[in-house]
Amino acid sequence: MTPTGRDEAAGEAARELGKPEYQQEPLVDELWRRLKQFLGDMMNPEVPGGPGLGVLGAVLIVAILAAVVALVVWRLRHTSRRSSAGADVLFGERTLSAADHRGNAERFASEGRWADAVRERLRAIARDLEERALVDGLPGRTADELAAEAGRALPAFAAELTQAARIFDDVTYGDVPGTSQAYGVIADLDERLRRARPAPLSTTTANGPHQGGAS
């Protein structure tokens, strides 16, 4: 068998690609076919250049493919992190008052939509604290950030605020079903927080966290 030269092989490939059945070939299929043909030629001992270059070329191709895969994975993770960061925020695009969120929560609770009721009641807590200037009205705030900031203003409620934020996250992102008990925990906290007053600055700085935030 007469060895096939590279120029001759290239000519045969061009003639093959000129056939009508290849004219409408999808781009991805064409690229994959070309890659397989290239690797086959590199590994073919009858092609001038020998299998030595074929092995080197195969290693190079594998390295390129690995880099492409790594880039795709990084991009997907980056997109996922950005999506998650957007999903974790406590409030949506609409701006409602604490009373509005509280009313929505009660309506959802009456319909047995406990996960929605939990979310709206924690939003009522957050908005109420913002309206009373106990926390800053930060856009994009998460439930955990609310608990941390509100816990500094009302240290007697810090642990309960953290628990409420965890309940919110569980029913919103953790596929944990909402329950009447979970809603009751946050509703009770909301009512007590409405009567709470911030701990005096001198008490929190000089004597540590104040333990009697409710009046």
Side-chain angles (χ1 to χ4, degrees):
M1 180 182 296
T2 303
T4 302
R6 289 188 182 274
D7 292 341
E8 184 178 353
E12 291 178 359
R15 287 191 292 275
E16 179 70 14
L17 292 173
K19 293 181 179 179
E21 55 266 29
Y22 290 112
Q23 298 306 307
Q24 302 300 323
E25 183 178 18
L27 179 60
V28 174
D29 293 342
E30 180 182 354
L31 291 175
W32 176 242
R33 179 175 49 75
R34 286 175 180 269
L35 177 60
K36 290 194 296 184
Q37 181 179 351
F38 173 73
L39 291 175
D41 289 343
M42 295 282 286
M43 299 299 293
N44 189 351
E46 296 183 355
V47 174
L53 284 177
V55 173
L56 180 60
V59 172
L60 179 61
I61 293 297
V62 169
I64 293 174
L65 290 176
V68 171
V69 170
L71 179 61
V72 170
V73 171
W74 175 83
R75 184 66 180 177
L76 289 174
R77 289 180 176 177
H78 181 68
T79 302
S80 176
R81 284 197 297 268
R82 291 183 61 184
S83 298
S84 296
D88 283 347
V89 296
L90 182 59
F91 292 106
E93 295 181 357
R94 295 180 60 195
T95 301
L96 301 177
S97 67
D100 291 333
H101 285 297
R102 205 168 279 122
N104 289 340
E106 291 297 331
R107 176 168 53 84
F108 289 139
S110 68
E111 297 171 357
R113 297 169 56 181
W114 298 114
D116 290 329
V118 163
R119 284 189 283 267
E120 282 297 290
R121 198 65 185 233
L122 189 65
R123 288 166 182 154
I125 290 176
R127 191 66 78 201
D128 184 77
L129 294 174
E130 290 177 359
E131 291 171 355
R132 295 161 57 195
L134 295 177
V135 298
D136 293 330
L138 298 176
R141 185 198 304 278
T142 67
D144 291 335
E145 290 170 343
L146 168 70
E149 185 176 354
R152 289 191 291 270
L154 300 166
F157 293 94
E160 293 179 84
L161 285 162
T162 299
Q163 180 190 17
R166 187 177 301 112
I167 292 173
F168 178 94
D169 289 341
D170 285 346
V171 301
T172 305
Y173 315 112
D175 296 326
V176 175
T179 64
S180 59
Q181 291 80 5
Y183 177 70
V185 168
I186 297 183
D188 176 69
L189 176 61
D190 181 26
E191 293 301 323
R192 289 184 291 116
L193 283 172
R194 294 172 69 181
R195 302 188 300 269
R197 297 294 180 268
L201 181 61
S202 59
T203 302
T204 56
T205 56
N207 300 324
H210 180 60
Q211 298 299 320
S215 61

